[in-house]
Amino acid sequence: MKKTEKWITNTIRIAGSSSIFFVMMIFIFLMREGIPALHDVSIGRLLSKRWYPIEDLYGILPLISGSLIVTITSMVIALPFGLGTAIYIGEIAPQGVKEILKPLVEVLAGIPSVVLGFIGILVLSPLMRTGLNLPTGLTALTGAILLALISIPTIVSIAEDALYAVPASYREAAYALGATQWQIIWQIVLPAARSGILNAVMLGVGRSLGETMAVMMVTGNAPTLFSGLEAFISPVRTMTATIASEMGEVASGSTHYRILFFIGIILFFFSLIINVASSSLSVRPKRGKDQVVS
Amino acid sequence: MKRKAAYICLLILCLFLSACLSTNQVNTNKEVSQNAYIENKGSDTLVNLALAWAEQYQKLHPEVQISVTGGGSGTGITALINGTITIANASRQIKPEEIESAEENGFEPIEFIVANDAIAVIVNPENPVDKLTLEQVSKIYKGEYTNWQDVGGEDRPIVKLSRETNSGTHVYFLETVIRLGSKEDKNIFSADTLLLPSSEGIISEVRDNPNAIGYDGLGYVSSDVKMVALAKEAGGDYILASAETVVSGDYPISRHLYMYTRGEPVGAERDYMDWILSSDAQGTITELGFVPYIKE
């Protein structure tokens, strides 16, 4: 019996540490393929303003600015909707509504991003052009709206879990003191679930930074550098779309190939920063007696 | 308990081995029944034509299987060099660097000119502009003209559309139109040119957006976008793209379409390439809006 147990424990241990192994391998691979780019192309050229690889112009600033513009805008859109939905599902909605809403949000999570991209091209982009009177509907904002749709389910389900983890005794105590429902949500539940909600936000950011297909289809992919507020309603090119659309053409080992991997390293570091930030901000919800009550 | 676990392990092992064995058998059977498998990839301009050819040829020769995929000329040639395909479609000629890396991989790419194609410059049907000189098109794409008024149209911003840089059409357009064929000219597409991943993307944006200008192979141009007549220089004749104007050489931007093989083709590949160059297959070209290649 003891032997079987040991065997099972070891298997689980291997399975558990395998993800560390995979992350390490991916990191080493990215470094090995991408770092030589700095050898081929000077930092000054990498930080130039024009991306046009077939003429050896490898300025990655427009790509970084494109990714940031789209991600930040999508979060500005997704946060109110995501958190609002989570609060409604977790705190306000009656049981029946809750049981319909939660699976619906999960269905939204299951829609492949290429399908959303298709809807973006056919429906959203013409609407944006005529509605906002823009030269073209393929803009950063169009991409951001789709990304918001993609990241909202992540934000909702994690934030809702965080709200759920707030012990019911907190709410009961507040009610007993005569607090209104809004006061409870705003002053008791949200502060108590703070770390979990931050975590939800960070994962949403990560989701939208890494998304490729939908963004590639609707942002127009023009590598323009951020030049003021109109950048939000102009075409942009993101890092992920650049890698996806150019990786197929490059000869392996060429400068262009290395630079694409270098962009991959930048993306990797962006999401690393997001993850570290989210885990350092969030403290795991305590599981104690209170949990049993709820 | 222990014995049970051992039995289960043995059972799984047996299943696994038998699965391996049976797939092997399937593979050998396949090789016997199919004499040849040709993998054909590359230019999105050529993909519809290549598909039509593959279908016709498979009807004539059921023993040959041909798969056709797009992705762009650069993608196809890279795949040929890496050895994942046997025939690459390209809407531009292979570059010297690509020949070099092919030779490093131990083969010489053999070129076949399979058809001709015109690049049509297209605008939305609502746009009153119906003729441009090549220089005007070049200035539009370089970002010197930003309003349709600059070329005699309405007061609207110009939205420039292009294929991605892995497209042979993109490279051809850069060299022939933006740089007007001059080797010293180092101008490139203005940074705000939208790079769309597919030919359909360009057609659909031009169809919906009255500000847009785009370019695409003649075979892709549908009736819901408007072709612009082009003149080589100011004062010259404005000519619309069609099979006749390409064959006569009057239309200023037309090019060859190519297929590349890994070394001299042999066997089924040889037969396929010979068939493509025969009058039988060349007839399909006109049906799809391309221009047959006529040997001088």
Side-chain angles (χ1 to χ4, degrees), chain A residues 129-130 133-135, chain B residues 124 126-129 145-151 153-159 208-212:
Chain A
R129 181 170 51 78
T130 48
N133 198 19
L134 301 174
Chain B
N124 188 277
E126 278 177 41
N127 191 332
V129 173
Y145 291 156
T146 53
N147 194 299
W148 281 107
Q149 265 177 340
D150 299 334
V151 290
E154 294 167 331
D155 180 18
R156 289 176 170 283
I158 301 179
V159 172
D208 294 341
N209 188 346
N211 305 321

Side-chain angles (χ1 to χ4, degrees), chain A residues 53-66:
Chain A
I54 53 178
E55 289 290 315
D56 290 331
L57 296 172
Y58 294 115
I60 54 175
L61 285 185
L63 310 180
I64 297 178
S65 101

Side-chain angles (χ1 to χ4, degrees), chain A residues 208-222:
Chain A
S208 103
L209 185 69
E211 173 53 40
T212 308
M213 199 58 214
V215 174
M216 186 160 89
M217 289 167 84
V218 301
T219 54
N221 301 323

Side-chain angles (χ1 to χ4, degrees), chain A residues 52-113:
Chain A
Y52 196 66
I54 53 178
E55 289 290 315
D56 290 331
L57 296 172
Y58 294 115
I60 54 175
L61 285 185
L63 310 180
I64 297 178
S65 101
S67 275
L68 290 182
I69 290 171
V70 175
T71 308
I72 291 170
T73 320
S74 80
M75 279 304 116
V76 170
I77 301 166
L79 281 188
F81 283 102
L83 294 185
T85 314
I87 292 171
Y88 182 69
I89 293 179
E91 300 293 317
I92 302 169
Q95 195 62 27
V97 179
K98 193 172 161 177
E99 269 163 21
I100 301 169
L101 263 183
K102 244 199 134 169
L104 273 185
V105 170
E106 275 149 25
V107 167
L108 186 60
I111 299 174
S113 61

Side-chain angles (χ1 to χ4, degrees), chain A residues 105-203:
Chain A
V105 170
E106 275 149 25
V107 167
L108 186 60
I111 299 174
S113 61
V114 67
V115 174
L116 281 176
F118 205 55
I119 296 171
I121 282 187
L122 293 178
V123 182
L124 188 59
S125 133
L127 265 179
M128 298 286 290
R129 181 170 51 78
T130 48
L132 299 177
N133 198 19
L134 301 174
T136 173
L138 301 171
T139 63
L141 185 59
T142 321
I145 293 174
L146 287 191
L147 280 182
L149 279 178
I150 290 168
S151 52
I152 279 174
T154 315
I155 296 177
V156 171
S157 62
I158 294 171
E160 208 263 328
D161 284 347
L163 296 178
Y164 183 76
V166 176
S169 55
Y170 287 21
R171 297 183 187 91
E172 282 153 12
Y175 273 125
L177 292 172
T180 62
Q181 190 174 31
W182 169 243
Q183 283 171 327
I184 293 172
I185 292 171
W186 190 242
Q187 290 173 3
I188 311 286
V189 179
L190 281 184
R194 193 181 54 229
S195 58
I197 286 173
L198 270 172
N199 208 351
V201 173
M202 290 301 175
L203 279 169

Side-chain angles (χ1 to χ4, degrees), chain B residues 141 160-164 170 189 193-196 202 215:
Chain B
Y141 273 95
K160 307 173 277 283
L161 309 176
S162 163
R163 289 289 311 283
E164 277 282 358
H170 178 106
F189 284 84
T193 307
L194 274 65
L195 300 178
L196 301 186
I202 290 178
Y215 63 87

